[in-house]
Amino acid sequence: MSPSLKMVWAVFGLLGLILVSYLISVLLRPVGSYWTWLDGWVVCGVELVASVTCIARGLSRRPGRAAVLTLGCSVLTWTLGDVVLTVQSIGGATPPSPSPADVFYLAFYPLAYIAVVLFMREGVRKLTISTCLDGVIAGLGAAAFCGAFAFHDIVQKSGSGPLATVTNLAYPIGDLLLLSLVIGGCAVFSGRRMAPWILLASGIALNVVGDTSNLFQDSFGATRFGITLNAMAWPVAILLLSAAVWMRRRPSNPTTTRRASGFVLPNLAAATALVILVVGSVHYVNRIAIALAAATLLVVGIRLVLSVREMQALSHERHRQAVTDDLTGLSNRRHLFRVLDAFFIEGDGALMPGRSLAFLFIDLNHFKEVNDSFGHPAGDELLKQVGNRLSSALRQGDLLVRIGGDEFAVVLADGDAAYATE
């Protein structure tokens, strides 16, 4: 580890100790007490250092720079929102709703969306349609669940004025989209060792949890748990997001087989959508959740159709590989046995009635000398040329087979000795 990298992780360790001390103070203080210098400026200082560290990583990193810089700007906008809110809270004043800080808070979401998508593109170089659909299913299922249960009373608690209502509704909608995108990304990265992504997803999820707890402060905001969660969620989330970009992804071992993407999240999302639709037929569930659940099952149907087609294509490709010689592209020994079994009646070994068969065996003389003198690539090219010339001399129904090495065989269907000799 380079000295600069050690210094960065030392900074993260110091910020972590400050947050642990802050957590202890929150737990020991009377419920509802607010210290501007600690709850405001110290927390803002931690967030600001973490944000600058994240941006510095983007400036010093060449591959993936856009993703890191976008993430750094997103956490910086949230930090600036906390700074504005702290300034408005000096002297025990109550910030207005909506507040100028909301401009910075809401700017966090579009930047975070872009950063998450860029991280996904960087982590998975080749995204198949099936993998994308798995992510869409997981994200839609999570959105349907949140729409049905997590944000049911947001409209009633969103405020009195139109501007306050729109502002307060923007947070759960932004959280819903961001959480859906992260869960979809977890489905995409399933089966891969992606410690930076896990840290990134954890930070975003913690930010969503903290934002949700703040919106539902009427329910548990006055409790010790609610105050602690509101106080710790955002600074810890920003610290995790900044630390994620400094983690180096472990290089994959090319000798090991990569695990296939898991189906836990897509299956769980599909089951959740089905439950929402069933419950919605008996009890009231808001229309947004119903629509998201229906969209989830629709994508599940598309995914199933695509899976069937992929299985058919895979079965056809494996069958072709099983009966084809890799070097020359001709049929192999396994295919020869199948053809001969088809010509001879199983059991007594008799030829099919009314059919004749001629069999030619071809062996190349002095082929070993070609390999020894000119190398195996020249020998491989010779085998390919021999295969092409033999194929051009055969009828369409005849079969040319490479048995192995420099040995070939030709099956002449309905051929006699005269045609075989010719």
Side-chain angles (χ1 to χ4, degrees), residues 232-254:
M232 297 300 301
W234 291 294
V236 174
I238 291 177
L239 185 63
L240 292 178
L241 294 176
S242 180
V245 302
W246 284 93
M247 291 188 65
R248 292 183 177 179
R249 186 173 57 186
R250 293 178 57 185
S252 59
N253 187 356

Side-chain angles (χ1 to χ4, degrees), residues 87-105:
V87 172
Q88 292 179 326
S89 302
I90 294 177
T94 302
S97 180
S99 165
D102 291 318
V103 176
F104 294 98
Y105 289 145

Side-chain angles (χ1 to χ4, degrees), residues 1 5 34 48 341 380 387:
M1 185 180 296
L5 192 58
Y34 179 83
L48 184 60
D341 288 339
D380 293 342

Side-chain angles (χ1 to χ4, degrees), residues 170-391:
Y171 287 100
I173 294 174
D175 290 332
L176 181 62
L177 296 176
L178 186 58
L179 185 61
S180 302
L181 187 60
V182 170
I183 293 177
C186 291
V188 170
F189 284 118
S190 178
R192 296 175 173 86
R193 295 182 178 180
M194 287 293 298
W197 171 261
I198 294 176
L199 204 61
L200 177 69
S202 300
I204 291 177
L206 185 59
N207 187 84
V208 172
V209 170
D211 201 18
T212 304
S213 68
N214 187 52
L215 289 170
F216 284 99
Q217 57 183 326
D218 291 340
S219 300
F220 55 84
T223 65
R224 177 72 67 180
F225 173 77
I227 291 177
T228 304
L229 188 58
N230 287 333
M232 297 300 301
W234 291 294
V236 174
I238 291 177
L239 185 63
L240 292 178
L241 294 176
S242 180
V245 302
W246 284 93
M247 291 188 65
R248 292 183 177 179
R249 186 173 57 186
R250 293 178 57 185
S252 59
N253 187 356
T255 62
T256 59
T257 302
R258 193 181 67 184
R259 295 182 298 169
S261 299
F263 296 96
V264 176
L265 288 178
N267 289 340
L268 184 61
T272 301
L274 184 60
V275 170
I276 291 174
L277 292 178
V278 172
V279 173
S281 63
V282 180
H283 301 285
Y284 171 77
V285 178
N286 66 77
R287 295 180 180 179
I288 295 179
I290 294 293
L292 290 172
T296 303
L297 295 183
L298 177 61
V299 179
V300 169
I302 298 175
R303 178 67 171 90
L304 291 176
V305 173
L306 185 61
S307 297
V308 172
R309 295 182 59 183
E310 288 179 346
M311 289 296 296
Q312 292 175 343
L314 180 61
S315 177
H316 176 74
E317 178 63 20
R318 287 185 174 180
H319 174 73
R320 187 194 66 80
Q321 292 177 353
V323 297
T324 303
D325 177 61
D326 292 336
L327 176 62
T328 61
L330 303 175
S331 298
N332 59 12
R333 183 194 300 263
R334 184 180 291 106
H335 191 202
L336 173 63
F337 291 157
R338 292 182 181 180
V339 171
L340 294 179
D341 288 339
F343 266 95
F344 291 91
I345 301 175
E346 297 182 1
D348 57 5
L351 193 65
M352 296 177 61
R355 303 295 300 273
S356 61
L357 176 70
F359 183 85
L360 305 180
F361 180 80
I362 304 171
D363 178 59
L364 302 183
N365 294 331
H366 308 294
F367 181 73
K368 184 177 182 300
E369 284 79 354
V370 174
N371 281 334
D372 294 341
S373 301
F374 302 101
H376 288 278
D380 293 342
E381 185 62 29
L382 176 61
L383 292 175
K384 295 178 183 178
Q385 293 294 332
V386 170
N388 292 334
R389 295 189 181 188
L390 290 175
S391 297

Side-chain angles (χ1 to χ4, degrees), residues 2-24:
S2 62
S4 59
L5 192 58
K6 290 181 179 179
M7 184 178 299
V8 170
W9 286 111
V11 171
F12 284 133
L14 178 60
L15 296 179
L17 289 176
I18 294 175
L19 290 181
V20 170
S21 302
Y22 174 58
L23 173 62
I24 295 175

